[in-house]
Amino acid sequence: MKGISEKTLIKIKDLKASVKLNNGDMLTTVTNANMELQRGRSYAIVGKSGSGKTSLISIIGLLNREYEGEYLYDGISISALKDRDLSILRANNIGFVFQQYNLIPSLSIRENIVLPMRLDGKEIDVDFFNEIIEILGLKDKLERLPSTLSGGQQQRVSIARALLTKPAIVLADEPTGNLDSASSREILGILKKMHKTGRTVILITHDNGIAAQARRVVRIMDGKIESDTTNPDFDQEAAE
């Protein structure tokens, strides 16, 4: 499509989003946002609570289509898609890792990892499944319940679940928010490995230390993108 670089995966232009408050007033959460996200790059979207980063990410992650402006995913206009097509696009292309692990307590680790693909009726790539659990150190924990694992281990399960669909994008929203410093370093290291496999990794955070792990840093304040810069401290050799 004209105006879309071969490397550009997501392009948003003049994006504006609002939410309706309990008193009926509308609160603008994102204002005139413009951004291009390229394939295989790592990004940090940084902002304080209430800055608008959650609204922006819900749109980038194809969870919310209530906005004004233009959003192109791989050259496809999101506004032109029906809800079912949008759901398929999201399921096939975006893997989510949240601060809350969102594991089902009554299911084993194995069942939690494969659940989204089972629900979609998709065949599990067994070799890829085995590769993921080996990388994430979950091989000997597959038959256990989530409650028997530490917070860092549960977050690894959520990462395995996100990766099993082979997404183009790994979107991690405050992925270390509930973890101690040692577990946080471990999870960030795993996400770096995912970036090395060619995936676009997007970290959403309020922590400048975590943002420093990304190649590009996008800062948002009061619903506006204040800056979009290359991280001068990013270790390019380590990322390749």
Side-chain angles (χ1 to χ4, degrees), residues 183-199:
S183 296
S184 295
R185 288 193 296 272
E186 178 183 288
I187 294 304
L188 289 172
I190 290 169
L191 291 172
K192 277 188 175 181
K193 288 182 181 179
M194 299 305 101
H195 172 231
K196 290 179 184 180
T197 66
R199 292 177 176 83

Side-chain angles (χ1 to χ4, degrees), residues 53-69:
K53 67 180 186 296
T54 299
S55 292
L56 179 61
I57 283 304
S58 69
I59 294 171
I60 291 176
L62 304 177
L63 296 170
N64 176 19
R65 64 190 308 171
E66 297 299 321
Y67 57 84
E68 299 175 26

Side-chain angles (χ1 to χ4, degrees), residues 43-106:
Y43 297 85
I45 296 180
V46 186
K48 297 179 180 179
S49 178
S51 63
K53 67 180 186 296
T54 299
S55 292
L56 179 61
I57 283 304
S58 69
I59 294 171
I60 291 176
L62 304 177
L63 296 170
N64 176 19
R65 64 190 308 171
E66 297 299 321
Y67 57 84
E68 299 175 26
E70 183 177 48
Y71 179 162
L72 300 176
Y73 183 93
D74 202 15
I76 299 171
S77 175
I78 296 305
S79 62
L81 297 179
K82 296 180 179 179
D83 287 344
R84 180 177 181 277
D85 295 328
L86 182 66
S87 296
I88 292 172
L89 181 68
R90 180 176 61 245
N92 289 340
N93 292 279
I94 301 179
F96 294 94
V97 180
F98 297 108
Q99 179 176 349
Q100 303 298 329
Y101 318 126
N102 296 329
L103 304 180
I104 297 178
S106 60

Side-chain angles (χ1 to χ4, degrees), residues 68 132 148:
E68 299 175 26
I132 289 172
T148 68

